[in-house]
Amino acid sequence: TMSARIKRDLQTYESRNKRLQRQCARIGTASDDDRLWDRIEDEMKDNKTLSKELLRAIKALPENNEKKSLVSKFKEQYKEFQSIVKKMRTKGEEDPEVAKSLGDAGVHDQLTLQEVKTSKELEKKAAQVRQLNKDVQDLAEMFQDVARLVDEQQNTVDQITVNVEEAKASTDNAVTELQQADKYLMATRKRYLCIGILVLGVLVIVGVVVAVLATNK
């Protein structure tokens, strides 16, 4: 089902966030190299794509408690993704060589072969940091859609709550009316019973009188 697929995708989303978190921790360490940044770039692309797919899929679900739960889980993991990307961008920009490369034009004149290679590696890393900065902006824009989805879900929950309260109030009123009708019915029965006993008493008296008169004759 759609819900089952979304749950699987959310698990994948969470796993990627954990991998990105571990990769983020390696930035600025001895294991900070081209391969690390290539893996970060691939994970970022995959998770951004999955973010959009999850958002569309969750929006299409019918309004119910399960959708509310999925919206909450998605928002939690999306905010975690945003936080990780911001940390990566900050750590990347804090690298002095990368910061210098971000401001350079990338000219390689009069450099040795090794220096050219190093410069190109730095430029590649700087380009990846620039992409991270763009990713931060893209995720911030997409978060507006996530926030709207949360608001819509909350509005639906609020409306359901109002409907439940109105239904409860209507039920309470109906119970009160039934109780009043029952009391009225019981009172009516008592009146009819009293009238019946009175009529019966009158008939008995009339019968006795008639019998006495007949005997005297």
Side-chain angles (χ1 to χ4, degrees), residues 1-13 49-61 66 70:
T1 65
M2 177 67 76
S3 295
R5 197 193 80 183
I6 290 173
K7 288 176 182 177
R8 289 195 298 270
D9 286 346
L10 281 171
Q11 289 176 345
T12 301
Y13 200 58
T49 299
L50 187 54
S51 296
K52 295 175 182 178
E53 291 174 352
L54 279 167
L55 185 60
R56 284 196 298 268
I58 293 175
K59 277 184 176 180
L61 288 175
E66 185 175 35
L70 292 173

Side-chain angles (χ1 to χ4, degrees), residues 46-79:
D46 290 341
N47 235 22
K48 282 182 69 177
T49 299
L50 187 54
S51 296
K52 295 175 182 178
E53 291 174 352
L54 279 167
L55 185 60
R56 284 196 298 268
I58 293 175
K59 277 184 176 180
L61 288 175
E63 301 298 338
N64 52 36
N65 288 334
E66 185 175 35
K67 179 175 182 177
K68 179 183 177 183
S69 174
L70 292 173
V71 168
S72 176
K73 182 70 173 177
F74 175 54
K75 180 185 176 184
E76 176 188 344
Q77 289 303 317
Y78 188 88
K79 290 181 73 174

